[in-house]
Amino acid sequence: MRDKLNFEEISEGLELPEVKKGPINRQQLVDYASASGDYNKLHYDEGFAKQMGISGCIAHGMLVMSMVGSYISDWAKEGIFKNFKIRFVGMTNENDTLSFTGKVIKKYKENGENFVQIEVISKTQDDRITTTGSAIIAM
Amino acid sequence: MKLDRNFIGYKFPLSETSIKRWEIAQFANAIRDSNPIYYNLNEAKKQGFKDIPCPPTFYTKFTFSGDKKFFATLGIDYKKLLDGGREYKYYSPCFAGDNIIYQTKVQSIDEKEGKRGKMDVVIAVTTGKNKETKEKLWDSISTFIVFH
């Protein structure tokens, strides 16, 4: 039996516990490049990043979105993703540690199914927002 | 430079692949997600799945169909490119062992004006389907910003 989150106990405005992940080191950037097939050298070759006018390697936006996805999955347990969107609003640099926060903004029933909508933000250790987004989860 | 508007509606060639357990494990490890359902078939089955499930952003591997030369085809210079965001719509879950087909279409190219001047906003949609049943699995909607 899968762990369950009780839909009845979730309320709009409920905050998800904050979780920190990282630091995102070079090894992880290389691992993500090969796992995703995104081999843009910006993410693991400092010299190339500097040529592009950036001070060092930056994380793939999709790596950060994926980490947000894990953050939501860990909270929503058996919940099934119906929609997941992220805006890349700032760069995540190599060796940044990200903190993830979220909030239930809507809870509703549709065609007999239970849904929650969650808003999420990722921030670096120095409080720069790197992504904002939301997800709709069927419970 | 403004992008060629003739690419609006352009469809890249269809691609197909089969989802492999080791690719899911490799992806889960790269995003440092330790959930055992991504690594261990018994754990996945215990949680009621038919096989190892795909993590929600696993489809990033299939962002572009065809030869994956999306940016080169549209004449987009990496130095002027910003990844604006991604949206996934999920219609049906996907598991290791599934055979899938996917295709990328340029949905729109619109000119906007921002702090850094004029830009083209390119929206590309990749739709994934089950190869055998043709059931729609997901849409991946990518927003790219290309400065003029």
Side-chain angles (χ1 to χ4, degrees):
Chain A
M1 198 53 207
R2 297 163 68 186
D3 293 334
K4 256 190 138 62
L5 197 66
N6 190 340
F7 183 72
E8 303 310 324
E9 286 171 11
I10 297 170
S11 55
E12 289 177 6
L14 177 74
E15 289 186 10
L16 280 61
E18 179 177 346
V19 171
K20 284 187 166 56
K21 293 173 194 253
I24 300 172
N25 57 21
R26 187 75 56 94
Q27 182 65 56
Q28 185 171 9
L29 297 175
V30 171
D31 288 349
Y32 188 78
S34 55
S36 67
D38 181 347
Y39 286 105
N40 189 334
K41 287 198 269 183
L42 197 56
H43 306 299
Y44 52 86
D45 180 339
E46 238 168 283
F48 182 82
K50 283 180 179 151
Q51 273 176 30
M52 301 290 279
I54 298 166
S55 61
C57 293
I58 58 165
H60 305 72
M62 285 307 300
L63 168 57
V64 180
M65 181 173 186
S66 299
M67 293 167 79
V68 175
S70 298
Y71 170 65
I72 297 169
S73 299
D74 286 346
W75 177 79
K77 299 192 172 71
E78 94 290 6
I80 308 283
F81 279 75
K82 289 294 171 189
N83 184 289
F84 183 23
K85 56 183 162 192
I86 286 287
R87 278 184 62 221
F88 303 124
V89 297
M91 285 190 277
T92 300
N93 301 313
E94 179 180 21
N95 295 324
D96 275 352
T97 294
L98 294 177
S99 72
F100 301 90
T101 52
K103 195 186 204 176
V104 175
I105 55 163
K106 201 175 159 194
K107 168 185 169 175
Y108 58 102
K109 286 180 197 275
E110 213 173 78
N111 304 323
E113 252 194 300
N114 295 329
F115 296 95
V116 289
Q117 186 173 0
I118 301 160
E119 247 177 26
V120 275
I121 290 176
S122 65
K123 272 186 195 170
T124 60
Q125 61 287 334
D126 46 357
D127 262 349
R128 284 179 294 113
I129 295 177
T130 64
T131 66
T132 60
S134 67
I136 296 172
I137 310 286
M139 307 299 283
Chain B
M1 199 189 78
K2 245 177 102 147
L3 298 174
D4 184 352
R5 268 35 184 184
N6 286 320
F7 280 112
I8 298 169
Y10 180 79
K11 279 185 181 169
F12 285 80
L14 198 74
S15 291
E16 70 174 79
T17 189
S18 60
I19 311 271
K20 293 161 199 82
R21 286 178 194 154
W22 70 263
E23 286 180 323
I24 295 176
Q26 182 197 31
F27 189 85
N29 173 61
I31 66 172
R32 306 295 188 251
D33 189 323
S34 59
N35 193 333
I37 59 171
Y38 298 133
Y39 303 92
N40 183 317
L41 182 60
N42 287 333
E43 286 294 331
K45 288 196 164 163
K46 241 194 269 176
Q47 306 243 352
F49 298 116
K50 67 166 185 172
D51 208 303
I52 304 275
C54 293
T57 54
F58 183 74
Y59 309 125
T60 185
K61 288 173 76 77
F62 317 125
T63 304
F64 303 123
S65 69
D67 57 8
K68 318 221 177 246
K69 289 186 175 134
F70 179 86
F71 298 115
T73 304
L74 269 70
I76 293 172
D77 177 358
Y78 275 110
K79 290 185 177 162
K80 294 185 172 176
L81 171 68
L82 253 178
D83 197 344
R86 200 79 80 251
E87 175 175 6
Y88 288 104
K89 292 181 179 174
Y90 304 95
Y91 304 104
S92 190
C94 206
F95 300 91
D98 287 351
N99 296 314
I100 57 165
I101 49 176
Y102 59 101
Q103 187 164 31
T104 304
K105 182 184 170 183
V106 179
Q107 183 169 286
S108 60
I109 305 175
D110 289 305
E111 185 172 297
K112 300 225 164 123
E113 181 124 29
K115 276 179 278 181
R116 282 172 62 179
K118 284 190 174 164
M119 61 186 104
D120 281 337
V121 178
V122 182
I123 297 182
V125 180
T126 300
T127 299
K129 290 180 179 171
N130 183 292
K131 192 189 168 193
E132 282 86 32
T133 64
K134 301 287 185 288
E135 183 186 19
K136 199 167 167 179
L137 301 173
W138 80 87
D139 278 329
S140 144
I141 304 157
S142 306
T143 304
F144 300 108
I145 293 154
V146 185
F147 295 100
H148 283 187

